[in-house]
Amino acid sequence: MTIKGSACIVGAYEHPTRKAPDLTLAQIHAEAALGALTDAGLSKADIDGYFCDSETPGLGANSMADYMGLNLRHVDTTETGGSSYLAHVSHAAQAIAAGKCNLALITLAGRPRSEGAEISSRSPFLSPTIPDVDFEIPYGAVLVNLYAMCAARHMHDHGTTSEQLAWIKVAASHHAQHNPLAMLPKVVTVEDVVNSPMIADPLHRLDCCVVSDGGGALIVARPEIAASLNRPKIRVMGAGEAIKTQNGGKIDISYTAAVMSGASAFAEAGVTPADIDYASIYDSFTITVLMQLEDLGFCKKGEGGRFVADGNLISGVGKLPFNTDGGGLCNNHPGNRGGITKIIEAVRQLRGEAHPAVQVPDCRLALAQGIGGPLATRHASATLILERQ
């Protein structure tokens, strides 16, 4: 089923918290939902579809529908890590096109900072319940060194340098300085990044994302309903999802599942990477961004280092403005579910509501991209193409 133009994002809200020791996950979900409903000019009585991940035991769609008092006829609890919420937008558009619901609410909540989670050592993707993890644990696999393996491989194959990777953090910091909520609002230089402590060779501390609490919410509507609301209409034009496995031991860490999800999204939308005005790219680490840019087709494989260098991702300076809220590298990363923040900032850009210093002039087409799971092992990818109507 094609979803091109079948649904519009009419509400978007990012929870302002970055540390919430006194808020429960359910409260963050509900507060984010209220923010998105207010943004859209709707009430919870209008909602008949609900989407959230199932990461937290006992806090899926059943519990949250009860907590928020929702009267639903369609639910979805897809869980694919950091790509979950991009998939939810696609699934909401599919459900609307199929007549399963008219107005879909999507919510995210995370408290990894308050709960003491560490991006370097704790990961749901390294849980002992995963069949192959018993074979990985003896070798000391943790989240950051799985990404470092991909960075080292890219450097070996293509001559990519730490300085080139650093430009991704530099670009994010140039944008974060204009975000009053960003955890790391200070502009950094290439030298700052490469001189920061080494965490897992070749990734430095500033190559890694922040860890924050937070959340967000989106409202996806049938086009006829969107037309009746006094808000900009952001059409869902294309979507793609893919999972890359370890293929029974025949592992190739030189590419990501974005190769597949991106191709599907561009084909459905009928556009190319050259048409994209703004890109929200999942940025758990700098290497995550670089590999996705290549795999989505913004540059050829192996040319990512040169593509991101010299400020090419900085709004108003480079050819492809990215993560103008500061992204996961500088703004926030509420657990492994930072994907919803990519959609929210893309919506801001398309509405013309981003900070004036980073707003892309006449932004018409935006891409949002998420990865769920370590690049060096099993992971999922989801891609969205969004258009200002």
Side-chain angles (χ1 to χ4, degrees):
M1 174 187 296
T2 181
I3 64 170
K4 184 175 182 178
S6 65
C8 298
I9 298 176
V10 297
Y13 179 80
E14 180 183 351
H15 202 288
T17 189
R18 299 297 182 264
K19 188 172 184 180
D22 299 325
L23 291 177
T24 66
L25 284 174
Q27 284 177 290
I28 297 173
H29 273 290
E31 290 177 7
L34 179 60
L37 287 167
T38 301
D39 179 63
L42 297 166
S43 73
K44 69 177 184 180
D46 298 311
I47 299 299
D48 60 352
Y50 180 57
F51 297 70
C52 68
D53 69 53
S54 57
E55 178 194 14
T56 306
L59 198 65
N62 290 353
S63 296
M64 287 312 306
D66 185 37
Y67 185 85
M68 293 190 286
L70 300 176
N71 184 15
L72 305 171
R73 60 192 183 101
H74 186 78
V75 296
D76 187 319
T77 57
T78 295
E79 166 55 43
T80 56
S83 62
S84 299
Y85 285 85
L86 294 103
H88 286 163
V89 171
S90 172
H91 295 182
Q94 292 175 47
I96 288 170
K100 300 296 184 182
C101 62
N102 293 313
L103 277 160
L105 168 66
I106 304 169
T107 66
L108 157 78
R111 297 179 67 252
R113 188 178 180 193
S114 292
E115 294 169 2
E118 299 174 7
I119 196 70
S120 61
S121 60
R122 295 186 183 183
S123 169
F125 305 104
L126 294 177
S127 165
T129 60
I130 298 174
D132 55 314
V133 163
D134 284 343
F135 297 94
E136 297 175 353
I137 288 176
Y139 296 95
V142 294
L143 194 60
V144 67
N145 64 30
L146 291 173
Y147 282 81
M149 287 171 59
C150 293
R153 172 65 181 271
H154 205 280
M155 289 177 172
H156 176 271
D157 287 349
H158 306 295
T160 308
T161 67
S162 291
E163 287 76 12
Q164 289 173 331
L165 284 179
W167 271 107
I168 298 170
K169 180 75 166 196
V170 171
S173 74
H174 273 267
H175 298 150
Q177 69 176 314
H178 304 294
N179 183 351
L181 298 176
M183 289 183 65
L184 300 179
K186 180 182 176 182
V187 174
V188 300
T189 66
V190 169
E191 291 72 24
D192 291 332
V193 179
V194 298
N195 290 328
S196 64
M198 187 71 75
I199 301 301
D201 193 8
L203 296 180
H204 302 81
R205 178 185 292 167
L206 293 183
D207 285 300
C208 307
C209 73
V210 300
V211 177
S212 78
D213 299 343
L218 298 160
I219 308 290
V220 184
R222 186 175 299 283
E224 296 83 358
I225 296 175
S228 70
L229 301 174
N230 188 28
R231 296 298 284 141
K233 285 73 177 172
I234 308 304
R235 296 198 298 174
V236 181
M237 299 300 290
E241 300 171 51
I243 291 178
K244 184 186 175 199
T245 70
Q246 298 179 93
N247 195 25
K250 298 177 182 178
I251 303 170
D252 183 351
I253 64 173
S254 67
Y255 70 97
T256 75
V259 169
M260 293 82 80
S261 67
S264 296
F266 281 118
E268 185 169 46
V271 300
T272 70
D275 297 316
I276 299 298
D277 300 310
Y278 166 78
S280 280
I281 307 292
Y282 189 72
D283 53 345
S284 50
F285 302 91
T286 51
I287 185 62
T288 320
V289 175
L290 186 144
M291 292 183 68
Q292 289 173 98
L293 288 170
E294 292 179 342
D295 294 340
L296 291 168
F298 288 108
C299 60
K300 294 181 180 179
K301 176 59 67 176
E303 295 182 1
R306 292 185 291 278
F307 182 81
V308 302
D310 301 322
N312 197 41
L313 301 180
I314 300 176
S315 185
V317 175
K319 295 179 180 179
L320 184 67
F322 103 121
N323 294 9
T324 45
D325 61 342
L329 289 170
C330 295
N331 176 24
N332 67 333
H333 192 289
N336 290 314
R337 308 296 171 257
I340 200 169
T341 63
K342 304 307 165 202
I343 308 166
I344 292 169
E345 185 65 8
V347 169
R348 289 192 191 113
Q349 281 287 349
L350 291 167
R351 287 176 168 181
E353 296 175 353
H355 190 284
V358 299
Q359 176 65 53
V360 176
D362 193 30
C363 187
R364 185 182 67 87
L365 273 175
L367 173 143
Q369 164 65 31
I371 290 286
L375 296 187
T377 59
R378 69 209 72 74
H379 68 266
S381 175
T383 311
L384 289 177
I385 308 292
L386 305 175
E387 179 184 54
R388 183 187 73 233
Q389 187 170 344

